[in-house]
Amino acid sequence: MAKGSNSSRLGRYNRSILLTELRRSGSASKAVLAQRSGLSPQAVTRIVDELEQTGMVSRSGKQRGGKGQPSILYRINPSGAYAIGAKIGRRFLDLLVMDFGGTIIDRIRHEYPWPEPEQVLQWIDVGIRTLAGALGVDERQRLMGVGVAMPWFLGQLEAQTGMSRAAAEKWRCMDFDEELRRRTTLPVFFENDDSAAAIAELLFGCGTEVDNFLYVFLGTFVGGGVIIDGNLMRGVHGNSGALASLPVPGSRLESAEKAQPVDVLMNRASLFVLTRHLHQAGVQVSELDRLTDLAGAQRESLEAWLDDCADALAHALVGVVAVLDTAAIVIDSLLPPALVTDLVERVRQQLGKRLPAELIQPDILQGRLGASATVMGGAILPFYSNFVLDRTVLLTGGVPRRILA
């Protein structure tokens, strides 16, 4: 657990320390929170009482045992706050409203061949009002804002995504964050899609048990996030965890576009590569969930890609382990959970074969949020505006134009 400070100037930081511990442990007494945080009992009492008064935490019973009076236990109050999350993907837009405990109350999805910015703005505008309407009157008063998770380079890679040149140019030229802010009175926050997914995994997934890990998400492309001591490390340009560009050997699959000795991870570990590989093998799968139904030669084509993807990931992760010396690597995907489990095991085996003896192999874990990770990460951003260990996780002033261009 991160340590707090008894300085009165760090009140927000100290509140976030205690909220993080309550989220991890489920419930705890003031005495336990003081012991784990390094804060004085008086400071913990003051902060917990304040959080209880504002509705962010609530009592969850008493802990008996030992001498003296039983200790009162506190927990996160799910109804203490609400937020709306949006994920702008290359194939679909996800919207949801979530409570402070991480429970999804309602959600909306729009699918498209590629995202048109004006249409996405309209859908988010209508979605905010629809999802806010799913809350009661009192609950809407505790709606803290809208968090948007999206690729920084949404207007790039037209060839791989099939996006029209006109749509790509609109994304490169539009001041999207300002346009969205004009349409809602709620505070709006932005974050890179894979970084947002890593934040969600930190708070609601494997991060409840490990606070140093590399997060890998396999979507249309591959990306990730670096979590160190319970904080997302964004990097100088907000681009930390950009795994897609890591060099790897060229693919041995017949469906690979070019036979070359060196390639990048994106061209071996991504769902657009899987779709291309299956298409060339004569396999048409309109929905990812149908992948688990493949059999015979079609299943063999899927198995070949899984092996090639795991091989590429393991090769890239050797360098990551050498640099980060991380405790764990968490892998998640839009793929069905059973296939993610399969891929994680293949990566674990491949990395074990490749890792030099002087490096310690991290735990290879399966992410717990799946396809919901990114949009949940978006919904977390408004919470982080008030309760965050590291404010650098947010871009409250909008998306940097140099990143989107």
Side-chain angles (χ1 to χ4, degrees):
M1 179 180 183
K3 295 300 181 182
S5 169
N6 290 300
S7 169
S8 60
R9 298 177 62 188
L10 297 178
R12 177 177 294 190
Y13 180 83
N14 290 337
R15 286 196 297 272
S16 69
I17 288 283
L18 300 186
L19 285 169
T20 298
E21 176 57 27
L22 286 176
R23 197 177 294 283
R24 283 189 160 193
S25 61
S27 65
S29 66
K30 291 176 178 176
V32 169
L33 290 172
Q35 179 183 16
R36 294 180 181 176
S37 67
L39 291 167
S40 69
Q42 295 83 358
V44 169
T45 295
R46 184 178 65 254
I47 294 170
V48 171
D49 288 348
E50 175 191 333
L51 290 171
E52 183 182 19
Q53 184 177 6
T54 57
M56 306 312 297
V57 304
S58 60
R59 301 186 182 195
S60 62
K62 294 183 178 181
Q63 185 178 46
R64 300 184 182 276
K67 299 179 180 180
Q69 296 294 321
S71 300
I72 298 173
L73 297 176
Y74 295 86
R75 64 177 177 86
I76 293 290
N77 181 16
S79 62
Y82 298 86
I84 291 172
K87 172 194 174 180
I88 304 174
R90 293 179 171 88
R91 292 289 180 261
F92 54 84
L93 168 70
D94 265 350
L95 297 156
L96 60 76
V97 59
M98 187 175 77
D99 68 25
F100 196 47
T103 298
I104 298 171
I105 298 168
D106 198 5
R107 65 191 306 165
I108 301 168
R109 169 170 283 199
H110 297 283
E111 297 185 0
Y112 37 68
W114 61 74
E116 293 279 354
E118 297 93 344
Q119 180 66 80
V120 170
L121 280 168
Q122 180 180 349
W123 277 333
I124 294 178
D125 184 17
V126 174
I128 289 172
R129 286 183 269 119
T130 301
L131 293 171
L135 301 174
V137 176
D138 292 340
E139 293 169 335
R140 284 198 292 274
Q141 298 301 314
R142 298 191 292 275
L143 187 58
M144 300 184 71
V146 180
V148 180
M150 62 184 294
W152 285 163
F153 298 96
L154 193 54
Q156 304 293 338
L157 302 170
E158 298 127 86
Q160 291 90 338
T161 61
M163 182 184 292
S164 71
R165 182 171 297 178
E169 185 62 23
K170 289 176 184 176
W171 279 110
R172 288 193 286 265
C173 295
M174 177 181 282
D175 202 348
F176 186 85
D177 57 319
E178 289 303 319
E179 290 292 333
L180 180 56
R181 286 189 171 91
R182 292 192 187 102
R183 296 171 181 245
T184 180
T185 58
L186 291 169
V188 180
F189 307 88
F190 285 84
E191 184 53 83
N192 172 268
D193 54 347
D194 293 314
S195 295
I199 297 167
E201 189 67 39
L202 172 65
L203 291 186
F204 300 120
C206 296
T208 60
E209 299 169 6
V210 59
D211 57 7
N212 286 276
F213 61 91
L214 172 75
Y215 181 76
V216 181
F217 193 84
L218 203 67
T220 302
F221 298 107
V222 62
V226 180
I227 303 295
I228 298 178
D229 294 335
N231 290 307
L232 176 74
M233 299 293 105
R234 298 193 69 256
V236 174
H237 302 101
N239 211 27
S240 181
L243 307 178
S245 301
L246 288 175
V248 295
S251 173
R252 295 187 295 272
L253 293 176
E254 293 182 2
S255 61
E257 286 191 336
K258 296 179 180 179
Q260 48 190 347
V262 178
D263 209 331
V264 292
L265 186 62
M266 177 183 69
N267 291 334
R268 292 186 60 188
S270 54
L271 297 190
F272 95 88
V273 171
L274 170 61
T275 302
R276 182 185 67 199
H277 173 71
L278 293 177
H279 178 76
Q280 291 191 19
V283 182
Q284 302 295 333
V285 178
S286 58
E287 298 177 2
L288 290 174
D289 289 343
R290 299 289 303 277
L291 288 172
T292 55
D293 298 332
L294 297 180
Q298 293 183 337
R299 179 70 190 193
E300 290 177 5
S301 294
L302 175 60
E303 294 278 340
W305 176 82
L306 285 169
D307 272 338
D308 194 71
C309 178
D311 177 79
L313 284 170
H315 183 94
L317 292 176
V318 170
V320 171
V321 173
V323 173
L324 291 183
D325 187 28
T326 187
I329 294 170
V330 179
I331 300 174
D332 214 339
S333 177
L334 297 177
L335 289 167
L339 291 183
V340 182
T341 301
D342 189 345
L343 179 62
V344 167
E345 181 56 34
R346 293 175 194 238
V347 172
R348 183 182 293 116
Q349 294 179 9
Q350 290 287 343
L351 185 60
K353 295 176 183 177
R354 292 176 176 273
L355 210 61
E358 63 270 18
L359 297 180
I360 299 174
Q361 179 162 342
D363 293 331
I364 310 298
L365 307 175
Q366 181 173 348
R368 299 178 184 174
L369 305 179
S372 296
T374 307
V375 66
M376 287 181 69
I380 288 168
L381 299 180
F383 298 152
Y384 262 50
S385 69
N386 289 280
F387 311 107
V388 65
L389 297 181
D390 184 356
R391 287 298 296 272
T392 61
V393 80
L394 295 172
L395 285 174
T396 55
V399 181
R401 297 301 299 276
R402 67 177 184 276
I403 292 179
L404 280 179

